Amino acid sequence: MKILVTGGAGYIGGTVTRLLLAKGHSVTVFDNLCHSKRSAVAEGAEFILGDLADRPLVEKTLSEGRFDGVMHFAALIEAGESMKKPEIYFRNNTASTLTLLESMLATGHDKLVFSSTAACYGEPESTPILEDAKLQPTNAYGESKLLVEHMLRWMNLIHGFRYASLRYFNVAGAIEGYGEAHEPESHLIPLILDVALGRRENIKIFGRDYPTKDGTCVRDYIHVRDLAEAHLLALQALSHESRLIYNIGNGQGFTVLEVIESVRRVTGKQITVEEHERRAGDPAVLVASSEKIKKELGWKPEFAELDKIIASAWEWHQKRYA
């Protein structure tokens, strides 16, 4: 297949790009490099430097490429920042995606795999969360992604536009030679690994008064390779399905303190903790049920254990800063 990957210089998009290339597919990466570097683009992929808000460039890319499908990862991802600057999230995540959809319709492209988020659910009424749970985001980031899902539903109903929306939680781990490298970094596991490497004095915990077993937030962690496989399965399924919505997760949650303890076990390093007040918009528990995609597409995560996920991230982290 010939595939366009937006945000393909990022952590998840870059991993997906490498998986696609390894499986013999042709990939074009479209990225504005706002939180990445040109060196993050996979060798063997065509690269186009551009912003999704630039409709003429997006349409030109699609018209010249004639792609079998589009995988859309380009987005701002910081929930905390979205509660301070919601406008840039609606501009970058929602409005720019509308430009992509308009461009796809205008050029005859009708298959999209959308990198959504479990933040669409907000504070769940029960866990693990099923795909038919209420959609009530508690932060502007989740709302910006949910608005895209609403647009996709209408594009499907009116234009027959085929799409898969994959909602997932915390992504971690690394594949050989490529892992998490956000600029700036804000995700829990690489931040803790920074402490293990001595690059950071401590790890900050935001909130110790959540209704969980140790008072810290509970999250579901999925290995980036398992997530990448789910995206490819979803794209293949769009050849005979018109609308797919799946949760992608481990099905089990870990508290922030349990993640820190796992890093201690894997690295053998001491991890100093600094406690802070809660951040706005952080739900107490987010754990997904992935039974639907397992049953319908045969997806099965290979990295179900947190220590294994962190071990792959630790290997990458050490090489990155060697």
Side-chain angles (χ1 to χ4, degrees):
M1 289 189 292
K2 193 174 183 183
I3 302 166
L4 177 66
V5 179
T6 73
Y11 170 43
I12 301 172
T15 302
V16 170
T17 296
R18 285 161 173 78
L19 176 64
L20 291 169
L21 291 169
K23 291 180 179 289
H25 301 292
S26 172
V27 181
T28 296
V29 168
F30 190 103
D31 202 301
N32 65 8
L33 301 181
C34 69
H35 288 295
S36 188
K37 298 177 180 178
R38 175 66 178 84
S39 58
V41 178
E43 184 177 344
E46 181 183 349
F47 176 61
I48 295 174
L49 176 63
D51 196 288
L52 288 178
D54 184 350
R55 181 167 174 178
L57 179 58
V58 177
E59 285 201 20
K60 179 175 182 289
T61 301
L62 289 164
S63 295
E64 294 178 354
R66 304 314 310 169
F67 300 98
D68 297 301
V70 177
M71 291 187 171
H72 178 34
F73 299 93
L76 298 177
I77 60 172
E78 302 303 330
E81 181 187 50
S82 79
M83 296 300 284
K84 299 174 182 176
K85 301 176 181 178
E87 62 277 9
I88 68 172
Y89 279 73
F90 295 121
R91 171 65 62 189
N92 283 275
N93 295 358
T94 311
S96 290
T97 301
L98 178 57
T99 300
L100 173 62
L101 297 179
E102 289 172 326
S103 300
M104 290 181 68
L105 290 170
T107 56
H109 289 78
D110 69 345
K111 294 185 184 68
L112 177 80
V113 178
F114 174 52
S115 172
S116 189
T117 174
C120 288
Y121 296 115
E123 193 78 57
E125 295 178 346
S126 62
T127 56
I129 304 168
L130 301 176
E131 286 83 354
D132 60 359
K134 286 184 179 179
L135 301 171
Q136 42 195 9
T138 58
N139 54 60
Y141 163 66
E143 190 71 41
S144 73
K145 290 280 194 170
L146 180 56
L147 287 170
V148 172
E149 290 209 22
H150 290 325
M151 291 192 298
L152 287 169
R153 182 171 65 88
W154 286 107
M155 298 296 183
N156 172 259
L157 286 170
I158 295 169
H159 297 300
F161 189 87
R162 296 172 177 266
Y163 77 93
S165 183
L166 304 186
R167 300 169 182 161
Y168 42 91
F169 295 79
N170 291 34
V171 186
I175 58 174
E176 180 64 35
Y178 195 75
E180 201 161 3
H182 296 111
E183 296 183 6
E185 187 57 73
S186 62
H187 289 183
L188 180 62
I189 289 176
L191 290 178
I192 305 173
L193 294 176
D194 271 351
V195 180
L197 277 181
R199 299 186 68 254
R200 190 178 299 270
E201 288 186 6
N202 56 54
I203 184 65
K204 294 177 174 58
I205 292 179
F206 295 93
R208 282 297 307 270
D209 58 348
Y210 286 96
T212 62
K213 57 186 171 183
D214 60 26
T216 62
C217 289
V218 173
R219 294 292 183 267
D220 191 334
Y221 293 86
I222 184 73
H223 193 282
V224 68
R225 173 60 190 257
D226 290 331
L227 181 62
E229 292 282 3
H231 279 80
L232 183 52
L233 285 173
L235 180 59
Q236 292 168 336
L238 288 180
S239 64
H240 53 84
E241 299 288 346
S242 70
R243 178 175 179 264
L244 299 168
I245 297 176
Y246 293 122
N247 289 336
I248 313 293
N250 241 331
Q252 55 182 325
F254 300 93
T255 68
V256 173
L257 291 180
E258 286 175 329
V259 175
I260 293 171
E261 192 55 43
S262 177
V263 173
R264 288 177 177 141
R265 285 194 301 271
V266 169
T267 67
K269 306 288 186 178
Q270 293 297 316
I271 308 295
T272 304
V273 171
E274 182 179 291
E275 296 182 10
H276 291 263
E277 295 297 315
R278 291 188 188 191
R279 292 179 299 194
D282 269 351
V285 180
L286 289 177
V287 179
S289 168
S290 298
E291 293 308 308
K292 185 181 177 188
I293 191 172
K294 290 177 181 177
K295 180 179 179 181
E296 295 183 4
L297 301 188
W299 176 76
K300 183 180 180 182
E302 293 184 17
F303 297 84
E305 298 176 13
L306 182 61
D307 282 14
K308 287 185 177 180
I309 295 174
I310 289 176
S312 70
W314 176 233
E315 183 178 349
W316 152 254
H317 218 67
Q318 291 176 99
K319 289 179 179 177
R320 182 187 178 196
Y321 294 111

